[in-house]
Amino acid sequence: MVAGCYLRGALVAGYISLLVAVEEQEQKVPSLKHSLTTPLIKVEDDDALLTCVVKNQGNFTLMWKKAAKEKAGNKILTANMERITSDERLKIMHEDGGQVYVLVVRNVTIRDAGMYICELNSDPPLRSFHELKVLSATLQPPVPTESSVVTGATASTKDSVEVWGYSTERPVDHDFSPCCAARNISTVCQGFCKLKNILDGNTGVNPSDCEEEFPDIVSCMADGRNHMPCCVEAGIPEVCTDLCRGEYTVQTDNIKSMFSCSAYTAPTLACIAAGIETLPKQPQGFSAEALNDTSIRLHWLPPAKTDHLTQSYRVNVTYLQFLSPVFSVKVDTSKAKEIYPPNSALHEIPRGKTEFIINGLEKFSLYEVSMWAENKDGGKSLSTYDIKIVTHMEGDSGDPEPLESPTLPNIRSCCISNNVTHAKCVDKFCDPRNVASTQLTDLMICAPWDTEMFQCLADGKDHTPCCAAKRLPPLCQELCSGNVTDINFKYFRCLSYMNELSSCMLEGYGVLPSRPVNFRFSNLQTTFGILHWDKPDTLGDTVVDYVVKYQRITPDTGKTMSVEHAKSPFILENLDSASTYEVFVEPVNNIGTGEASTRIVFRTASRKIEDLLDSVNPYNQSSCCLKSGMKPECLPLCSYDANISEVKSLARLCADEFSKVVRCAAGGRDHLPCCARRGVPNNCQPLCQAVHQASTGADFLQCLPNIGQIITCYEEGTTKLPPPIKDFKAVSVQDGIVVLTWQVDDLNGTFNTAHFEVYYKLVEENSTGSTVFESDQQINTTVPIVKIPDLETGKKYRFFVVSRNLKGTSLPSSIVTVNVSSEAWNGTSISGASSPPHLLEVDSHSATWLQFAWNPPAITHPEDVLKYRLYYQQVSANLSKFDMVETDVTTVQLTGLTPNTQYALYSTALIVTKDTKIESTPSETLIAWTDPAFPAFVEAPTIHPINMVTEGSSMTVLCIAMGTPLPTVTLYINGHPLRSEITRHMVTMVHNVTSDMGHVSCYADNGYGTPMIASRKITISRAPTLSAPASTTVMKDDVLVLQCKVDAFPAPTMAIFRDSELKQSMMSDDRISITARGDEEDMATFYLSMEIAKVNQSDGQTYYCHANNTLGANSAPMLVNVTDQPLPVMNVTQCCLQHNVSADCLDICAFSIDFDMMIRKPQCIPQFSLMMSCASDGSDHRHCCSTGGVPSNCLDWCRGEAVEESEVCALSHSKTIVGCFHQGKENLPGKPTNIKVRPIDKNSAMVFWDLPEKNPHSVELYRVFWRPVGAKGANKSDTVQRKLVLHELHSGTTYEVVVKAGNSNGTSQLTQPLKFITADEFIIATSPVRSNVGGAVGIVLAVFIVLGLVVVVIYVMKKKNLIVLSVKKPDSPSVAFENPFYAVRDPASTAQAVSAEDYNVHISSSGSWQSEMSGTPSDRSSASSSPHSPDKNESTEMNPSMYEQISLGVNGQGFKRFK
């Protein structure tokens, strides 16, 4: 009802907002209502953009602030365009006169999260609020907020210190640096070894950098004291008490290690600070030794400096099991524990003692002992480590006190008497116990006394056999003999064998014990075994200790492990089951380590089947997920051992599946008691009952910092708690009586279900889904059927059932709702349904759509497949029937709605089975309004950087649009759409900016009113590029005019120089005039002209046009040739005759295409293209023409083809074109001649040709094109030979082939197409078309003959099944075959991806053969299309789309190809 009343009020609010908008427009009052206030969610290290839109700002100041907690006041970040804060990551994006202020926060961190305020200092102030949420990139739990730190006096100035709000009794000065140093904590992390540094935040290093060392740091911090009682009293949950025990749980990628204890850091540190002065430390050096078959002796040392805090010691002795005295028989552990169960005993020992003997133990049995210290107030230290110890077999006892070891030979005196004078050499080499630590420097320093030292060290004995047995190299064995004459560098390799050398020397002196005897094992279990041995025969009484060494051999080889201070019998534990080990024992006396025992190889027992079954969870979570309809790609989340990295990677894909994950992880059990015990926050505790509701914060991802505690409870609960019931239904309904049945999911008694609890309640008319767990009455039963009497006839009741055992209960799995009357019951069973969806709400809204979200049912079986229905209708329609949409997820968008209209809605849940859909009762009813419609409005684009957008760099374009419904905003660059998005705020980063991106537009349309576009013209900053004539020929005494065109921005400095070093600049004088000007329409185009009157021979040289600006410099050479003779006459009369030029126009062809004569004969202008074709002389001069400034629409004349605007091209550019004809006459090749085709087989043929008639020796490469006749795509290949084999031809298909020649200066024109057909062993070819009547008649006749032959051939081949009458269409269209190099790109297809290789096969703007060959070699010409009809023999080249230019690189000019 509250939601309904609230949304009904939205109608009034809507009309009020409209009136306010009109009033504001009229009065021009400031407004911030168009600001974008949707919460912004970013990941660490992203950039966040918060947008504030201010209308009618006037002279008021707009400030960005960040909201501070409590009473500290909001922090001012910016004022208008000025940054106030010292944080350089913050800046403002704003354009003078604009209405948008964008606060940019670069590289956001967790601490940047919070509420940001856009405030206008009007009267009263106007504010808009913008929330920024920051997700950790590593999904770490949140850090404590700044408000949790108490400011004020420091710890050193107060007797009572508050640790973030928790009081301690005295100053915090706990410095455990010595402990950290003893544990080899790195220097950089030792800042954590002072508690005050941690409290003040002055550790000097990021905690994540030291996490690997935290276990040792925390152990030192606890200082061996048990702070657990204080922590428990402070309410710290068990999962967060590891610091109180001196332990640190390293968070791994396993989801169960993902828990947040940041909220309990303060009380934990407060307890440690308080307990460090009052609690006793644990005893040091704790050890245990079996004295005989019934007694053990314990030994320890009191803690240094804090023994006064110890009142007494407590020793805990736990009997584990008896052992078998028969070595070949092992004890069944489980049966042994049944016969004589484990038990513990406590012993109190007064302070001051360091030894204690425990008597009366069981013979040859396994015990575990530990101890701790206590003070008079009951405070305790941490317990020592647990020691497992075995009492002796009956009648055996421990070894007596060891005797003194034999005396070593006096090697030192021997060395001194032999004049070894260096003290260090005496210490190192004259004591066999120190030889093992010899270094290279020792060997070098003591080399002068090598003979004397090793002779004394040998003591007159030859130790070579021992050294050989220890595998010393032969050279090093000389040291063992004592006969060493000279130590040189060769002996340096012996340094790694000094330990073996020392051992052999000691063994040779007869001072070490021999090997232990009777080495054996017994009671071999899955993870431990008992080792036995007797003392050595030789010097056994001198043994003080034993060392046990063992190594795993199978299933894989492990490291050799050592256990010191071992005594027989010895328990070798922490072994792997079903593994093979090798073990031996070495005796140790005061001199050193004696001979090793024999080696024993044994294999541990395998785990029993029942043990393996016990370790497997009886609940199958993955099976539940599959049955509930989860997406297969989300199944990795269905594991109690899922990884955080998997959760992170699948979070977006599986956002709608987390409710299923929670349901199946909970397994239909009630885990709430476990979660409360483990400290799960209240807002996340609904997850413990499988209630996944994002709207209240009980969401899987929102609770991720505590998900480890929840998952641990899930896993524990599914092994102990009873499963939910299935197939709950009412099978009989009578007046006042209901009979309910269900299926039990614990038939084999795995979970020891004790009984079932049936809850029921009378359903009131206004009840909602939020009260589904409430009940009035309860009945218990031990069988899956119950009869409930004494109900009110004709009333509705709701029933649900839970299972219970000694550990807890299940969750209800479904609800049965019935009208308790015989009249209402139709005689069929009523199946249980889920509870209805709840907390239905409007997620977002617009004028034509409403987005709704709801929470899944609170009661449903975890394996149920759920769907949802949303019912809706217009309130004003007053209809009895609702429209309905069905969905699999808990959100849906209703589209096509009427603006400014009220709708009523409710939702239901469906349990979908193979045959039925069981629908729940309706959820609460919601009333919602659509927004009023407003036409789209868009501002002019804001471009950053504002001052200079550099070619090749990136620019950010910000489009701000308004309107309801949300408009579609499109960014156009130079009229090409680049990006569209339905939004009010679109930021686009444009990379690889090119010089022609001068027109930027933002377009907005929302379907209401007239679409709006706002544009901005920009000039791209770039280094100069120059266009100048490469060569100019001028007659002596004529006027020379050179013009250089410069494209640059900012405006360049331009000059003309005489030399390439640019030292001799040209200056204006009486004969020379230099002028510069800019283009009136293009701010980036400039012209530099030089005019020289009365040209003489000295003016003939190379000039250099130079331009430079702040972005670079460039120069272009301009060669001037001064001649006394006019340009050579080009007489092409014969060619004109062949092209049917009329007789009265032939005199134009006789004198270099005399344009002046043609003007006097206007009737000849239509034939001018034929004359230009003759003048081109079979070469392609477009490179020269384009360099000379001939526009693209006239370039076809440069290769002898017709142009559309012949009069314009003739008037403006004929002189330049004819000049290029003259220049190319000497260096460009003509067309290849006499092209022919020779058959090879039915699928291949060889095409060959002769040299061009024009400049035949200038050819560097040939390019061949071929295709089926009528196909739009063409194959191409390059060759340096005058022949090429064409492969993969189709028999019976008509092909055509053309060839062109080229060199580094350019190319020839294409030859006339030659057509041919392959058919088994012959080729039918046509000759190129000639322009004469006789030839035409002959060709027509030949064509008829060829067609007849083709028909015959095709008929024969079809009979022989040699041809399939189908044609595979090319991938994409291309231009007319006469010009296969140059593709046309349809501007409507800009959305298609075009690879760089597609461009590189085309000719570049240079027009040279080199640029044609610059792309990746390809066997197929690029796809293209021609807008012209094929009979015109011409095509048009279009520029690539703006998107393609941006995608393919900075040098946009490289993608503009001439036709």
Side-chain angles (χ1 to χ4, degrees):
M1 292 298 293
V2 175
C5 293
Y6 171 78
L7 290 171
R8 289 190 190 97
L11 174 62
V12 180
Y15 286 121
I16 292 176
S17 63
L18 287 173
L19 295 174
V20 172
V22 174
E23 184 179 353
E24 288 178 351
Q25 184 66 25
E26 294 175 352
Q27 300 181 6
K28 299 294 183 182
V29 297
S31 170
L32 298 178
K33 70 175 185 177
H34 295 293
S35 298
L36 304 180
T37 56
T38 303
L40 184 63
I41 301 175
K42 290 291 180 181
V43 178
E44 279 186 298
D45 295 328
D46 282 352
D47 293 346
L49 283 75
L50 304 173
T51 302
C52 183
V53 181
V54 54
K55 293 280 191 180
N56 306 316
Q57 180 179 355
N59 294 325
F60 297 120
T61 300
L62 187 133
M63 296 173 288
W64 276 102
K65 298 180 178 181
K66 185 177 182 184
K69 304 244 185 227
E70 299 175 354
K71 300 180 180 180
N74 298 330
K75 181 179 180 181
I76 299 177
L77 305 176
T78 65
N80 286 340
M81 289 290 291
E82 301 298 324
R83 176 169 52 84
I84 306 301
T85 178
S86 60
D87 191 345
E88 297 182 354
R89 297 178 302 123
L90 273 64
K91 73 172 183 178
I92 289 291
M93 290 174 59
H94 174 70
E95 186 169 311
D96 292 341
Q99 300 176 341
V100 179
Y101 288 80
V102 179
L103 175 65
V104 181
V105 185
R106 297 194 305 273
N107 302 324
V108 297
T109 66
I110 293 294
R111 294 188 180 277
D112 291 323
M115 187 66 70
Y116 290 78
I117 304 169
C118 175
E119 180 177 310
L120 191 70
N121 66 340
S122 55
D123 187 16
L126 298 178
R127 299 181 181 91
S128 62
F129 298 89
H130 309 256
E131 184 179 7
L132 173 61
K133 299 179 180 180
V134 180
L135 302 178
S136 171
T138 57
L139 291 179
Q140 294 295 322
V143 298
T145 59
E146 296 177 359
S147 61
S148 63
V149 181
V150 178
T151 59
T154 63
S156 58
T157 60
K158 297 180 68 177
D159 290 335
S160 179
V161 179
E162 286 189 351
V163 181
W164 301 340
Y166 290 82
S167 178
T168 63
E169 298 179 357
R170 53 185 57 80
V172 178
D173 55 2
H174 180 31
D175 183 355
F176 44 97
S177 298
C179 175
C180 289
R183 296 197 179 207
N184 297 319
I185 301 298
S186 61
T187 304
V188 69
C189 296
Q190 289 194 8
F192 288 100
C193 296
K194 292 183 180 179
L195 194 58
K196 190 174 185 305
N197 288 352
I198 300 175
L199 299 177
D200 295 341
N202 295 328
T203 58
V205 64
N206 191 318
S208 61
D209 296 336
C210 298
E211 187 169 13
E212 291 184 358
E213 301 187 70
F214 275 0
D216 287 330
I217 293 174
V218 168
S219 177
C220 289
M221 180 193 299
D223 200 28
R225 308 164 203 264
N226 187 1
H227 307 280
M228 280 294 294
C230 174
C231 291
V232 172
E233 186 178 354
I236 300 173
E238 178 185 354
V239 71
C240 297
T241 58
D242 50 351
L243 267 67
C244 307
R245 304 187 302 271
E247 301 171 359
Y248 179 80
T249 304
V250 178
Q251 287 193 345
T252 65
D253 198 32
N254 188 289
I255 195 169
K256 284 184 287 190
S257 70
M258 188 68 184
F259 52 84
S260 175
C261 295
S262 57
Y264 305 103
T265 302
T268 299
L269 295 181
C271 283
I272 293 175
I276 212 69
E277 301 292 337
T278 59
L279 297 176
K281 292 181 65 174
Q282 64 192 162
Q284 305 297 307
F286 179 57
S287 62
E289 177 186 4
L291 296 178
N292 50 48
D293 53 3
T294 59
S295 302
I296 59 173
R297 177 170 56 199
L298 307 180
H299 185 271
W300 67 92
L301 295 174
K305 300 182 181 179
T306 60
D307 191 41
H308 63 283
L309 298 175
T310 301
Q311 178 72 20
S312 61
Y313 298 104
R314 291 275 182 149
V315 173
N316 180 60
V317 181
T318 301
Y319 165 82
L320 298 180
Q321 72 174 73
F322 63 82
L323 302 172
S324 170
V326 181
F327 282 65
S328 59
V329 177
K330 71 174 184 178
V331 175
D332 188 316
T333 303
S334 58
K335 291 184 178 179
K337 291 180 179 180
E338 291 177 3
I339 298 172
Y340 194 174
N343 58 83
S344 298
L346 284 177
H347 301 270
E348 184 174 2
I349 306 168
R351 186 182 72 180
K353 287 196 173 186
T354 59
E355 188 175 281
F356 183 67
I357 296 177
I358 303 175
N359 297 308
L361 304 179
E362 296 293 330
K363 299 173 183 178
F364 196 43
S365 297
L366 181 61
Y367 285 87
E368 188 175 74
V369 293
S370 62
M371 70 178 302
W372 61 88
E374 294 186 357
N375 63 13
K376 61 181 179 180
D377 298 322
K380 300 179 182 179
S381 73
L382 293 174
S383 176
T384 62
Y385 42 82
D386 294 331
I387 297 178
K388 287 187 173 65
I389 189 169
V390 178
T391 54
H392 286 275
M393 284 195 241
E394 185 174 3
D396 289 348
S397 60
D399 295 333
E401 288 295 323
L403 303 177
E404 286 293 331
S405 301
T407 305
L408 283 171
N410 196 347
I411 309 299
R412 189 180 186 89
S413 299
C414 175
C415 289
I416 294 174
S417 63
N418 282 278
N419 297 320
V420 179
T421 58
H422 198 289
K424 188 174 183 180
C425 297
V426 173
D427 291 338
K428 281 287 185 182
F429 292 96
C430 298
D431 188 335
R433 291 169 297 187
N434 296 337
V435 171
S437 60
T438 301
Q439 303 293 324
L440 177 61
T441 54
D442 300 328
L443 202 59
M444 297 174 64
I445 292 172
C446 301
W449 301 281
D450 50 6
T451 303
E452 292 82 359
M453 291 185 305
F454 283 98
Q455 184 177 355
C456 290
L457 197 60
D459 193 33
K461 299 180 179 65
D462 185 2
H463 306 275
T464 303
C466 174
C467 291
K470 292 184 180 290
R471 299 182 180 179
L472 269 69
L475 180 67
C476 302
Q477 292 180 23
E478 297 179 6
L479 303 178
C480 304
S481 65
N483 297 322
V484 180
T485 57
D486 182 27
I487 294 290
N488 54 40
F489 71 90
K490 296 180 181 179
Y491 289 87
F492 290 169
R493 62 178 297 199
C494 300
L495 288 172
S496 58
Y497 298 97
M498 285 299 179
N499 189 42
E500 290 80 0
L501 176 66
S502 173
S503 177
C504 282
M505 294 294 181
L506 292 172
E507 184 178 328
Y509 300 155
V511 295
L512 296 179
S514 60
R515 67 180 59 185
V517 296
N518 295 328
F519 184 43
R520 58 208 184 275
F521 66 88
S522 68
N523 293 273
L524 198 56
Q525 302 289 334
T526 56
T527 60
F528 72 90
I530 309 299
L531 301 178
H532 308 259
W533 61 86
D534 296 332
K535 66 181 180 180
D537 293 335
T538 303
L539 298 179
D541 294 334
T542 66
V543 175
V544 297
D545 220 341
Y546 292 90
V547 177
V548 173
K549 294 185 178 181
Y550 64 99
Q551 181 184 23
R552 186 179 66 242
I553 301 175
T554 62
D556 55 358
T557 303
K559 294 182 179 179
T560 299
M561 311 295 292
S562 297
V563 182
E564 299 179 347
H565 311 301
K567 298 286 187 180
S568 178
F570 174 76
I571 177 171
L572 184 61
E573 54 184 336
N574 300 322
L575 305 178
D576 296 329
S577 63
S579 299
T580 303
Y581 287 85
E582 182 184 60
V583 62
F584 61 92
V585 62
E586 296 176 335
V588 179
N589 65 7
N590 291 328
I591 303 298
T593 302
E595 186 179 0
S597 69
T598 56
R599 297 173 182 252
I600 294 178
V601 176
F602 62 87
R603 182 176 178 82
T604 54
S606 300
R607 298 175 66 184
K608 295 181 179 179
I609 297 299
E610 53 268 24
D611 294 336
L612 294 173
L613 291 176
D614 289 342
S615 65
V616 176
N617 193 321
Y619 172 65
N620 192 332
Q621 182 185 3
S622 298
S623 174
C624 172
C625 290
L626 287 171
K627 292 179 181 178
S628 67
M630 180 174 288
K631 300 176 185 175
E633 54 268 29
C634 301
L635 287 177
L637 300 177
C638 285
S639 171
Y640 298 128
D641 292 309
N643 296 329
I644 293 296
S645 57
E646 290 178 327
V647 174
K648 180 180 178 181
S649 62
L650 296 175
R652 185 181 299 274
L653 176 65
C654 303
D656 298 324
E657 303 291 327
F658 280 111
S659 62
K660 298 174 185 174
V661 172
V662 170
R663 281 164 43 205
C664 286
R669 277 84 164 174
D670 186 359
H671 307 275
L672 188 60
C674 173
C675 289
R677 185 178 72 252
R678 289 184 173 274
V680 176
N682 291 336
N683 64 302
C684 295
Q685 287 187 6
L687 292 176
C688 304
Q689 293 183 314
V691 178
H692 189 264
Q693 46 190 35
S695 58
T696 63
D699 177 78
F700 188 94
L701 293 178
Q702 293 184 51
C703 294
L704 200 59
N706 300 95
I707 203 67
Q709 294 115 293
I710 299 173
I711 295 296
T712 301
C713 286
Y714 286 162
E715 188 174 29
E716 290 180 359
T718 51
T719 63
K720 300 176 182 178
L721 300 175
I725 65 166
K726 289 182 176 181
D727 196 21
F728 182 41
K729 55 190 174 183
V731 296
S732 176
V733 181
Q734 303 296 326
D735 290 343
I737 301 174
V738 173
V739 178
L740 304 171
T741 65
W742 57 89
Q743 291 184 9
V744 181
D745 204 14
D746 188 22
L747 295 176
N748 55 5
T750 303
F751 300 96
N752 298 316
T753 302
H755 64 266
F756 305 98
E757 299 173 355
V758 182
Y759 296 88
Y760 57 101
K761 173 183 172 63
L762 177 67
V763 180
E764 304 293 343
E765 290 297 329
N766 295 324
S767 64
T768 63
S770 60
T771 59
V772 292
F773 285 109
E774 294 182 2
S775 63
D776 293 330
Q777 301 181 61
Q778 173 186 346
I779 291 179
N780 295 343
T781 177
T782 58
V783 294
I785 186 170
V786 65
K787 178 179 179 181
I788 303 178
D790 302 328
L791 304 177
E792 293 187 40
T793 302
K795 296 290 185 179
K796 280 189 177 181
Y797 281 83
R798 184 174 59 221
F799 304 86
F800 63 83
V801 178
V802 299
S803 308
R804 180 178 290 277
N805 65 9
L806 296 178
K807 302 293 184 179
T809 70
S810 71
L811 292 170
S813 61
S814 61
I815 297 175
V816 170
T817 304
V818 297
N819 185 340
V820 185
S821 70
S822 301
E823 182 180 355
W825 188 47
N826 61 6
T828 60
S829 60
I830 303 173
S831 297
S834 70
S835 62
H838 57 289
L839 297 180
L840 175 65
E841 62 182 4
V842 179
D843 192 43
S844 55
H845 53 87
S846 185
T848 58
W849 56 265
L850 293 170
Q851 180 86 24
F852 296 94
W854 56 87
N855 291 317
I859 295 178
T860 187
H861 195 278
E863 296 178 357
D864 285 342
V865 177
L866 296 179
K867 289 184 179 293
Y868 303 94
R869 288 177 178 171
L870 182 67
Y871 295 86
Y872 66 98
Q873 70 168 6
Q874 288 188 22
V875 174
S876 59
N878 198 22
L879 300 174
S880 60
K881 184 178 180 181
F882 281 72
D883 294 321
M884 182 268 290
V885 293
E886 191 169 296
T887 177
D888 294 327
V889 296
T890 58
T891 181
V892 72
Q893 186 179 83
L894 300 180
T895 58
L897 305 181
T898 306
N900 200 27
T901 303
Q902 192 178 38
Y903 287 86
L905 312 99
Y906 67 88
S907 64
T908 61
L910 293 90
I911 299 176
V912 180
T913 63
K914 185 177 181 180
D915 303 318
T916 61
K917 289 184 179 180
I918 305 173
E919 190 168 10
S920 73
T921 55
S923 69
E924 64 270 32
T925 301
L926 185 67
I927 305 297
W929 281 87
T930 52
D931 296 338
F934 295 100
F937 172 84
V938 67
E939 294 186 1
T942 302
I943 300 173
H944 289 269
I946 298 175
N947 300 325
M948 180 181 291
V949 179
T950 307
E951 184 178 26
S953 66
S954 300
M955 66 178 176
T956 301
V957 182
L958 174 63
C959 291
I960 299 293
M962 285 164 279
T964 304
L966 208 63
T968 299
V969 180
T970 305
L971 172 65
Y972 285 83
I973 295 183
N974 285 3
H976 297 274
L978 183 63
R979 179 189 176 199
S980 290
E981 187 176 336
I982 299 176
T983 183
R984 287 195 174 96
H985 171 200
M986 186 172 76
V987 179
T988 305
M989 181 74 74
V990 181
H991 300 281
N992 298 328
V993 174
T994 58
S995 59
D996 55 354
M997 295 183 184
H999 198 78
V1000 182
S1001 305
C1002 292
Y1003 173 89
D1005 183 17
N1006 66 353
Y1008 291 86
T1010 304
M1012 182 176 179
I1013 187 169
S1015 304
R1016 187 178 302 279
K1017 186 175 182 181
I1018 61 173
T1019 303
I1020 306 300
S1021 300
R1022 65 262 199 182
T1025 57
L1026 282 70
S1027 177
S1031 176
T1032 302
T1033 302
V1034 62
M1035 289 285 294
K1036 183 180 179 182
D1037 294 329
D1038 278 357
V1039 176
L1040 170 66
V1041 178
L1042 295 177
Q1043 179 172 280
C1044 177
K1045 181 180 178 181
V1046 180
D1047 180 82
F1049 191 81
T1053 300
M1054 300 182 295
I1056 297 178
F1057 295 86
R1058 293 179 179 271
D1059 60 322
S1060 59
E1061 289 79 14
L1062 308 180
K1063 295 181 179 179
Q1064 303 176 30
S1065 62
M1066 298 295 294
M1067 306 294 291
S1068 295
D1069 56 21
D1070 295 340
R1071 197 168 63 91
I1072 301 173
S1073 174
I1074 299 177
T1075 59
R1077 66 182 178 87
D1079 193 291
E1080 295 181 358
E1081 297 182 358
D1082 190 348
M1083 296 178 60
T1085 300
F1086 304 89
Y1087 299 93
L1088 179 63
S1089 301
M1090 181 176 71
E1091 183 176 314
I1092 303 178
K1094 296 182 180 180
V1095 175
N1096 54 46
Q1097 291 292 342
S1098 64
D1099 295 324
Q1101 64 178 75
T1102 301
Y1103 297 89
Y1104 296 88
C1105 178
H1106 179 76
N1108 69 282
N1109 61 11
T1110 56
L1111 299 178
N1114 203 351
S1115 298
M1118 300 179 294
L1119 175 63
V1120 174
N1121 297 311
V1122 180
T1123 178
D1124 294 331
Q1125 301 295 327
L1127 293 175
V1129 174
M1130 182 185 299
N1131 191 338
V1132 293
T1133 304
Q1134 187 63 32
C1135 177
C1136 289
L1137 279 171
Q1138 294 177 357
H1139 283 73
N1140 297 322
V1141 175
S1142 59
D1144 60 338
C1145 298
L1146 288 177
D1147 51 353
I1148 300 175
C1149 302
F1151 194 74
S1152 296
I1153 309 300
D1154 192 340
F1155 184 67
D1156 293 329
M1157 184 174 292
M1158 187 190 68
I1159 293 177
R1160 291 194 294 272
K1161 296 183 177 183
Q1163 71 274 16
C1164 296
I1165 291 180
Q1167 303 179 60
F1168 195 65
S1169 293
L1170 298 175
M1171 304 176 194
M1172 295 298 281
S1173 176
C1174 288
S1176 66
D1177 199 21
S1179 297
D1180 191 340
H1181 304 270
R1182 286 177 296 172
H1183 174 41
C1184 172
C1185 291
S1186 62
T1187 305
V1190 177
S1192 59
N1193 60 326
C1194 298
L1195 281 177
D1196 273 348
W1197 266 357
C1198 300
R1199 60 170 178 170
E1201 294 187 6
V1203 298
E1204 292 182 355
E1205 302 176 0
S1206 58
E1207 294 184 9
V1208 176
C1209 296
L1211 290 170
S1212 303
H1213 304 288
S1214 61
K1215 185 177 180 180
T1216 303
I1217 296 172
V1218 172
C1220 288
F1221 289 167
H1222 280 284
Q1223 182 177 335
K1225 191 173 183 65
E1226 304 299 329
N1227 56 26
L1228 288 180
K1231 293 184 289 187
T1233 61
N1234 197 22
I1235 179 171
K1236 298 179 182 179
V1237 177
R1238 177 184 301 160
I1240 297 177
D1241 53 42
K1242 64 179 181 179
N1243 298 119
S1244 59
M1246 177 184 290
V1247 57
F1248 54 97
W1249 55 90
D1250 294 336
L1251 289 170
E1253 295 177 356
K1254 175 188 172 184
N1255 299 328
H1257 300 295
S1258 67
V1259 178
E1260 297 176 358
L1261 200 67
Y1262 295 96
R1263 178 164 288 181
V1264 182
F1265 299 87
W1266 72 98
R1267 69 176 181 184
V1269 173
K1272 295 181 178 179
N1275 301 307
K1276 74 171 180 67
S1277 186
D1278 297 337
T1279 177
V1280 295
Q1281 298 178 344
R1282 286 186 287 111
K1283 60 182 178 180
L1284 181 70
V1285 177
L1286 309 181
H1287 297 285
E1288 298 182 3
L1289 303 178
H1290 295 286
S1291 177
T1293 301
T1294 303
Y1295 287 88
E1296 54 185 347
V1297 61
V1298 293
V1299 185
K1300 70 188 303 186
N1303 60 19
S1304 59
N1305 298 307
T1307 71
S1308 74
Q1309 298 172 9
L1310 293 169
T1311 63
Q1312 290 294 327
L1314 175 65
K1315 299 182 180 180
F1316 65 92
I1317 303 173
T1318 61
D1320 288 339
E1321 299 298 331
F1322 65 92
I1323 285 183
I1324 302 171
T1326 67
S1327 301
V1329 178
R1330 300 295 180 183
S1331 299
N1332 58 74
V1333 176
V1337 172
I1339 289 173
V1340 170
L1341 181 59
V1343 167
F1344 279 106
I1345 296 173
V1346 169
L1347 290 176
L1349 290 174
V1350 169
V1351 170
V1352 172
V1353 170
I1354 293 178
Y1355 177 79
V1356 172
M1357 295 180 69
K1358 186 176 181 182
K1359 285 291 186 179
K1360 295 182 178 181
N1361 292 325
L1362 296 177
I1363 185 170
V1364 178
L1365 294 178
S1366 64
V1367 180
K1368 181 180 179 182
K1369 294 184 178 180
D1371 294 336
S1372 57
S1374 92
V1375 298
F1377 185 71
E1378 285 72 19
N1379 184 21
F1381 275 170
Y1382 311 108
V1384 173
R1385 209 157 254 96
D1386 186 356
S1389 63
T1390 56
Q1392 296 179 358
V1394 183
S1395 68
E1397 292 182 358
D1398 292 331
Y1399 286 98
N1400 291 337
V1401 298
H1402 297 288
I1403 193 167
S1404 71
S1405 60
S1406 67
S1408 68
W1409 186 261
Q1410 288 178 331
S1411 63
E1412 275 194 301
M1413 299 192 305
S1414 64
T1416 303
S1418 172
D1419 289 333
R1420 182 165 294 275
S1421 63
S1422 59
S1424 54
S1425 63
S1426 174
H1428 298 293
S1429 56
D1431 59 338
K1432 290 187 177 180
N1433 287 336
E1434 60 185 18
S1435 58
T1436 301
E1437 173 65 15
M1438 300 186 66
N1439 294 335
S1441 71
M1442 182 60 59
Y1443 176 80
E1444 293 165 346
Q1445 294 186 42
I1446 294 170
S1447 301
L1448 292 174
V1450 176
N1451 187 8
Q1453 296 295 330
F1455 305 132
K1456 294 180 178 179
R1457 296 172 302 284
F1458 295 104
K1459 194 182 74 169

